[in-house]
Amino acid sequence: MSARRSTAATLLTLAVATAALAGCSQKKDDKASSDAVKVNATDTACEVSKTSFPAGHVVLDIANKGSKTTEVYVYAAGDKIVTERENIGPGTKATINAEIKAGSYEIACKPGMVGDGIRQKITVTGDASAAAAPADPRLTAAVDAYRTYAQEQADLTIPAVEAFATAIKDGDVEKAKSLYAPSRTGWERTEPVAESFGDIDPKTDTREDGLEAGQEWTGWHKLEKSLFADAKIGDDEKKLADQLVTDLKDWQKKIPEAEITATSMANGAKELLDEVATGKITGEEDRYSHTDLADFAANVEGAKKAYELLKPVASERDAELAKTLDAEFAATEALLAKYKQADGTYTSYDKVADAERKTFSDAVNALGEPLSKLAAAVVVK
């Protein structure tokens, strides 16, 4: 997600006071709509209005016309995620703003949010070397700072997961259980960056029901089941623990290669809230350990970090959006704080009643809706 060029004609202009400028804004809005790549997702098809378009700022207008909740991805070679949007309900629409450089890609619609998806090949045209740094130096600084943050989170994860793995290899079930959630914090804060590498996330963070045909189950959740459901550590678990460390060190080394832009940061923040909505709120993510709130908190922390780095530009271009995001982040953090215990852990999620889970769901929705608009507010100008 390296810095890329954008096409100013596709941007929504800032609100202006004069009728003449308002008319100019309307023309640009109309052109933005006509330039958008329309994606119609159904239960059996993924229709893309354009299979070739110029590199730079790209708008995907998505309509879910199927009966199942879907998600839409743009994949580069090796299923490297360029951008994505999850949790698009039946009959609803979503918009993705992204910076995409020249090359060959696939757009995938995933009805039911499972599997490899229904895919359409696309070509993004232009000079692959023409991507330029953002005109606004504040966005350049935000991207650089976020890359540093992502590296820091990966660097902090390695000793935490090594301690987790050591407890497993020592056969200490209770200690390993206590180290499970802390070993995931850095990953959960920056998961969109980790997922962008394509091959690392399936090896480290796949749940049993998310396995593809023929895929071996490895990673955190396999170990979670062994520790919390089966209360056992055998030779297989010890090998898996070592493999988890190896895979996460691979992630740590790849951070400098991650393609990061202002819009990918904003989209990543929304993806983290989608992670909460589709996994943590339901209790599916950490179904054996019930440490969902720890992951939830890390997702919110990571989303807020991306927002805060982009806020100087976002607040200038859309003051009301920034005001709303400030309030919704504060409300979500206050809600989570009620479940944080003296030792820094969170209440086991199986102790959280359905009515309380509904409160969490409402908070995530209230934050996720304005967060989905952040990318449009920081499109490179």
Side-chain angles (χ1 to χ4, degrees), residues 1-120:
M1 290 171 259
S2 58
R4 303 164 182 141
R5 294 180 298 111
S6 70
T7 305
T10 61
L11 306 179
L12 290 175
T13 58
L14 294 173
V16 290
T18 67
L21 286 177
C24 179
S25 174
Q26 181 61 51
K27 290 179 181 178
K28 288 187 177 183
D29 287 353
D30 291 344
K31 190 172 190 306
S33 178
S34 65
D35 285 348
V37 179
K38 295 177 172 54
V39 181
N40 289 329
T42 70
D43 295 344
T44 58
C46 187
E47 299 173 355
V48 179
S49 65
K50 302 176 185 179
T51 57
S52 180
F53 44 85
H57 173 223
V58 176
V59 178
L60 300 180
D61 282 342
I62 304 163
N64 183 2
K65 298 183 178 182
S67 63
K68 302 175 182 178
T69 298
T70 195
E71 52 193 15
V72 172
Y73 289 74
V74 177
Y75 287 117
D79 278 1
K80 185 175 182 180
I81 298 172
V82 176
T83 191
E84 67 175 288
R85 181 59 51 83
E86 299 179 352
N87 205 30
I88 306 169
T92 66
K93 297 181 179 182
T95 299
I96 303 176
N97 284 267
E99 309 301 319
I100 305 181
K101 62 184 180 183
S104 298
Y105 301 87
E106 290 183 323
I107 292 178
C109 304
K110 297 188 179 183
M113 301 197 296
V114 295
D116 290 333
I118 304 163
R119 302 196 178 198
Q120 296 288 345

Side-chain angles (χ1 to χ4, degrees), residues 14-338:
L14 294 173
V16 290
T18 67
L21 286 177
C24 179
S25 174
Q26 181 61 51
K27 290 179 181 178
K28 288 187 177 183
D29 287 353
D30 291 344
K31 190 172 190 306
S33 178
S34 65
D35 285 348
V37 179
K38 295 177 172 54
V39 181
N40 289 329
T42 70
D43 295 344
T44 58
C46 187
E47 299 173 355
V48 179
S49 65
K50 302 176 185 179
T51 57
S52 180
F53 44 85
H57 173 223
V58 176
V59 178
L60 300 180
D61 282 342
I62 304 163
N64 183 2
K65 298 183 178 182
S67 63
K68 302 175 182 178
T69 298
T70 195
E71 52 193 15
V72 172
Y73 289 74
V74 177
Y75 287 117
D79 278 1
K80 185 175 182 180
I81 298 172
V82 176
T83 191
E84 67 175 288
R85 181 59 51 83
E86 299 179 352
N87 205 30
I88 306 169
T92 66
K93 297 181 179 182
T95 299
I96 303 176
N97 284 267
E99 309 301 319
I100 305 181
K101 62 184 180 183
S104 298
Y105 301 87
E106 290 183 323
I107 292 178
C109 304
K110 297 188 179 183
M113 301 197 296
V114 295
D116 290 333
I118 304 163
R119 302 196 178 198
Q120 296 288 345
K121 294 183 183 298
I122 60 170
T123 301
V124 180
T125 60
D127 184 350
S129 64
D136 192 325
R138 295 173 297 177
L139 294 178
T140 303
V143 168
D144 290 343
Y146 187 73
R147 186 184 301 279
T148 298
Y149 173 72
Q151 187 68 65
E152 289 172 347
Q153 295 307 309
D155 293 345
L156 289 170
T157 296
I158 299 307
V161 81
E162 285 177 333
F164 174 59
T166 296
I168 291 173
K169 290 186 289 184
D170 287 344
D172 192 335
V173 172
E174 291 306 313
K175 185 174 182 179
K177 287 165 68 173
S178 73
L179 295 173
Y180 169 74
S183 76
R184 293 173 53 77
T185 301
W187 173 276
E188 290 290 337
R189 286 173 177 156
T190 59
E191 192 165 2
V193 175
E195 288 181 338
S196 73
F197 297 120
D199 60 336
I200 297 175
D201 180 77
K203 292 189 288 187
T204 59
D205 200 32
T206 299
R207 302 193 304 260
E208 189 171 16
D209 57 336
L211 294 171
E212 304 295 342
Q215 180 183 350
E216 180 185 1
W217 191 20
T218 59
W220 268 302
H221 294 300
K222 177 68 169 68
L223 291 167
E224 177 199 7
K225 183 178 182 181
S226 295
L227 293 169
F228 291 89
D230 303 331
K232 71 168 188 177
I233 294 175
D235 289 341
D236 288 345
E237 284 71 30
K238 293 176 182 180
K239 290 177 183 177
L240 283 173
D242 279 336
Q243 186 61 48
L244 179 61
V245 173
T246 298
D247 292 336
L248 290 171
K249 285 184 175 179
D250 187 25
W251 160 57
Q252 179 192 29
K253 292 175 183 176
K254 287 186 175 182
I255 298 297
E257 304 171 16
E259 296 182 358
I260 301 174
T261 66
T263 51
S264 75
M265 289 168 59
N267 288 329
K270 177 60 169 68
E271 288 163 27
L272 286 170
L273 266 291
D274 288 341
E275 288 282 337
V276 173
T278 59
K280 282 71 173 183
I281 294 298
T282 61
E284 295 175 55
E285 179 76 5
D286 296 296
R287 62 189 65 177
Y288 309 110
S289 63
H290 306 299
T291 55
D292 304 88
L293 290 182
D295 282 1
F296 183 168
N299 288 154
V300 172
E301 289 163 7
K304 185 178 181 183
K305 180 66 175 182
Y307 164 61
E308 287 181 334
L309 290 172
L310 296 170
K311 185 178 175 180
V313 174
S315 60
E316 181 180 284
R317 297 180 182 176
D318 194 336
E320 283 302 311
L321 176 63
K323 182 179 178 181
T324 299
L325 285 171
D326 286 341
E328 295 301 340
F329 268 115
T332 302
E333 290 173 326
L335 180 59
L336 279 164
K338 295 178 181 179

